[in-house]
Amino acid sequence: MPEPAAPIGVFDSGVGGLSVLAEVARLLPGESLLYVADCGHIPYGEKTPAFIRQRCRIVAEFFRAQGAKAMVLACNTATVAAVADLREQYPEWPLVGMEPAVKPAAAATRSGVVGVLATTGTLQSAKFAALLDRFANDVRVITQPCPGLVELIEAGDLDSPALRQLLRGYVEPLLAAGCDTLILGCTHYPFLKPLLAEMVPASVAIIDTGAAVARQLKRLLAERGLLAQGPAQPAQFWTSASPEHLRNILPLLWNKSDSVQSFGR
Ligand code: DGL
């Protein structure tokens, strides 16, 4: 039986999940956080579901070996591929996944047109199709896969001319089609919000699910009497690529310089 003081494991294919980690740290400042970035295998958006499931199992086992009391799958692409498998594998372990915010977007749109920016893997999944079936019957949803964005963000690029051009090419067709609500369906994309705010009219709502995931995590922990009272240990980071690279870009994306170790699994 885990203790409330046990850490929480947060996982993404790379640095995108740091946008979720920030929401978890904001809502639950007493929690000790572990973060694994599978940077050696990005982008998950172009990998097979079987490959992603295997990586998720390896990381889940690692978190459990570290004594983690819960896991956040801070990656939409990993969630569609692996959350069911992990839940079957660890039925008692609190596990929170991500999904594109189709439900709130469908409720919020006034034009009736919603745009979704996400990875190819997420947009092609049966889980995403089911989400549309369930919540988007009365609105038009235009999906836009965004190959290339994740790689640039992983390199620490949040506003180069090349990135701007790529992003504009993805967003403009959605605006031209009348979208007034834009879903960020990949945890890397919230880091582009300042740039998006320059590119879209102020009347367009930009929605992501990091804060909702943090609230869901809090609910699951509270139900089990597992909320930590603090003080939290400093967050610990692991990466399957270069620790030095992650160390260099962490201040840009997380604003703290914490320990970074190699994830050699
Ligand atoms: N951050 C991940 C997501 O939320 C995907 C990034 C990738 O393609 O590796 O979908």
Side-chain angles (χ1 to χ4, degrees):
M1 190 63 192
E3 294 294 316
I8 296 165
V10 180
F11 170 56
D12 180 41
S13 61
V15 296
L18 294 171
S19 65
V20 181
L21 191 75
E23 298 292 350
V24 171
R26 212 184 330 270
L27 186 69
L28 301 167
E31 300 291 344
S32 302
L33 303 172
L34 314 177
Y35 187 90
V36 172
D38 198 11
C39 300
H41 297 100
I42 57 131
Y44 273 16
E46 308 297 322
K47 299 280 191 302
T48 64
F51 176 84
I52 297 170
R53 273 194 291 278
Q54 185 199 9
R55 294 305 297 162
C56 288
R57 278 200 185 200
I58 290 169
V59 175
E61 276 307 314
F62 172 73
F63 282 148
R64 290 171 68 84
Q66 300 288 318
K69 63 184 175 185
M71 177 170 177
V72 178
L73 215 41
C75 178
N76 293 266
T77 314
T79 300
V80 296
V83 75
D85 179 62
L86 290 178
R87 290 212 164 104
E88 199 180 304
Q89 188 81 3
Y90 313 109
E92 305 300 326
W93 201 35
L95 180 64
V96 184
M98 315 273 317
E99 62 185 20
V102 172
K103 186 182 177 190
T109 179
R110 294 166 310 281
S111 69
V113 189
V114 168
V116 188
L117 301 174
T119 67
T120 309
T122 296
L123 295 176
Q124 284 180 350
S125 68
K127 208 162 156 46
F128 181 70
L131 198 61
L132 293 185
D133 258 4
R134 185 147 173 235
F135 296 116
N137 284 319
D138 300 329
V139 299
R140 187 171 158 226
V141 176
I142 305 176
T143 58
Q144 176 63 66
C146 304
L149 282 187
V150 162
E151 290 89 331
L152 290 172
I153 296 165
E154 288 287 324
D157 176 1
L158 301 182
D159 73 346
S160 70
L163 175 71
R164 282 170 184 265
Q165 195 185 356
L166 192 61
L167 186 59
R168 196 169 290 117
Y170 292 144
V171 170
E172 270 173 5
L174 301 179
L175 297 178
C179 286
D180 69 350
T181 310
L182 207 52
I183 299 173
L184 305 185
C186 168
T187 54
H188 282 71
Y189 305 163
F191 292 115
L192 302 180
K193 273 186 186 167
L195 208 53
L196 281 166
E198 284 176 26
M199 282 179 194
V200 308
S203 57
V204 173
I206 300 175
I207 307 187
D208 67 272
T209 42
V213 162
R215 288 195 297 275
Q216 171 66 0
L217 174 66
K218 185 175 181 181
R219 267 193 296 274
L220 289 185
L221 293 176
E223 276 170 11
R224 292 163 174 78
L226 284 176
L227 281 172
Q229 301 308 314
Q233 301 296 317
Q236 293 185 68
F237 297 84
W238 287 262
T239 172
S240 57
S242 150
E244 195 182 347
H245 176 68
L246 183 56
R247 223 169 274 135
N248 287 340
I249 61 169
L250 261 185
L252 191 67
L253 306 171
W254 170 248
N255 203 19
K256 286 181 194 140
S257 54
D258 300 272
S259 80
V260 181
Q261 297 160 61
S262 180
F263 185 75
R265 288 154 191 85

